[in-house]
Amino acid sequence: MKVKLSLLIIIISIFETYSQTGRQVYGKIISNELAVQAVDIVNLNTKKSTTSDKNGNFTIEATVNEVLYFISEDYHDLKVKITHDNVNKNLIISLTKKPIEIEEVSIEKKTTFKGIAGYNDIKMAKIEKDATAPKVVGVYTGEIVNGMDFVQIGKSIWKLIKGKKKTPTTKEEEIDYQEFIETVFNEEFFIKTLQLKADQVQLFLEYCLADEKFLETISKKNKFEMMNALISKNEEFKKI
């Protein structure tokens, strides 16, 4: 009886000793089903460590109740406790990718017009649309906000004309340019599209013909360029 009791004590001692001795724990580290390499694994109890290989596999000495700490620069840290259930299994450790940090940048808001979405292109699209739409001849519905002082406008235009140096042109040449413009663009273009009053059209044309660059554009006899030039000059004219 004593022999049996002694044998039992020895077996129990061996079992306890074995259970306290570290054993090799195997595992694989993944993220989104892909292997993760170069992850550091530390046994927080024994301070022993290892690193996962290119296939995400690792081996480390550990036993029940010890904690493995998984550390990576690109993934969130993870702690896993060794239990009776997982000590004899091939551990599958799933890590979560850290969000990418973006440095703070200063953004300046800029408004640009280029390509076919430019200001003049948008205007041209509207002009073409208006040109094909049914119109009532002789009816004007446009208005100019706050009205306009035509006497003051006349004086301002005269100052602009006197202040600019231009190549001398004869009265006949100026009339030819004006007649050419009026031939290409009818009165509805000035009233409907440019939103000028009927008694402003002549003054507006005189203002345009006083600009050398405008005359150069008109001399090319390109309808598209002429239309852009008239729209641009109209914006200047309304600011006077």
Side-chain angles (χ1 to χ4, degrees), residues 119-162:
Y119 175 80
N120 286 335
D121 295 318
I122 295 172
K123 282 253 189 179
M124 287 297 299
K126 182 178 183 303
I127 290 168
E128 292 295 333
K129 182 179 179 181
D130 290 343
T132 57
K135 302 180 183 299
V136 180
V137 179
V139 177
Y140 170 71
T141 59
E143 293 183 343
I144 297 179
V145 181
N146 299 325
M148 296 184 71
D149 187 342
F150 294 105
V151 175
Q152 185 61 39
I153 290 174
K155 291 180 179 179
S156 299
I157 292 175
W158 178 246
K159 289 180 180 179
L160 287 172
I161 294 173
K162 289 181 66 178

Side-chain angles (χ1 to χ4, degrees), residues 29 36-41 50-53 58 69-72 75 95:
I29 303 173
V36 181
Q37 64 177 331
V39 176
D40 293 321
I41 305 101
T50 187
T51 304
S52 61
D53 62 20
F58 69 91
Y69 190 29
F70 298 84
I71 310 169
S72 172
Y75 297 85
L95 298 183

Side-chain angles (χ1 to χ4, degrees), residues 185-218:
F185 303 100
N186 58 26
E187 186 176 2
E188 287 189 11
F189 170 78
F190 297 98
I191 294 175
K192 296 285 187 179
T193 303
L194 300 184
Q195 295 186 350
L196 295 168
K197 289 185 178 180
D199 55 1
Q200 289 180 295
V201 175
Q202 179 62 33
L203 194 61
F204 170 67
L205 289 175
E206 291 178 2
Y207 174 73
C208 292
L209 294 172
D211 188 338
E212 289 183 7
K213 291 184 178 180
F214 179 83
L215 292 175
E216 290 177 5
T217 302
I218 297 300

Side-chain angles (χ1 to χ4, degrees), residues 27-41 51-58 70-76 92-98:
K28 181 172 184 176
I29 303 173
I30 62 172
S31 179
N32 292 328
E33 300 183 357
L34 297 176
V36 181
Q37 64 177 331
V39 176
D40 293 321
I41 305 101
T51 304
S52 61
D53 62 20
K54 64 180 181 180
N55 296 316
N57 298 317
F58 69 91
F70 298 84
I71 310 169
S72 172
E73 183 179 353
D74 299 324
Y75 297 85
H76 288 292
I92 301 298
I93 307 299
S94 181
L95 298 183
T96 304
K97 186 85 172 178
K98 291 179 181 177

